[in-house]
Amino acid sequence: MNNIKLLRERCRISQCAVARELGVSPQAVSKWECGESMPSSSLLPKLANILGCTIDELFGRDIAAS
């Protein structure tokens, strides 16, 4: 899930802003980005929307390549 960091930085959104939108702590977002934990599956659609990507892209799947 380290794509979260790349996608977040591409959107120029802070960890705190992502956390606020999702109702989680900034530390949770940091752990997702470092691979220490994963977001709940219920958060994935909203996270993808915030980052302007698909859920597949969150997991590193390049749809254009498949």
Side-chain angles (χ1 to χ4, degrees):
M1 295 290 291
N2 62 354
N3 279 352
I4 293 175
K5 182 176 182 177
L6 296 173
L7 293 164
R8 179 182 59 76
E9 289 176 342
R10 181 181 73 183
C11 293
R12 296 185 175 152
I13 301 171
S14 69
Q15 285 182 344
C16 289
V18 171
R20 188 172 38 253
E21 288 289 322
L22 294 174
V24 300
S25 70
Q27 292 83 1
V29 176
S30 176
K31 286 182 179 184
W32 302 341
E33 291 183 355
C34 293
E36 293 178 24
S37 67
M38 302 248 322
S40 165
S41 60
S42 64
L43 294 176
L44 294 177
K46 190 167 184 179
L47 178 59
N49 187 51
I50 291 167
L51 299 178
C53 67
T54 65
I55 293 172
D56 283 336
E57 289 172 313
L58 288 175
F59 286 97
R61 182 166 180 234
D62 183 7
I63 296 173
S66 57

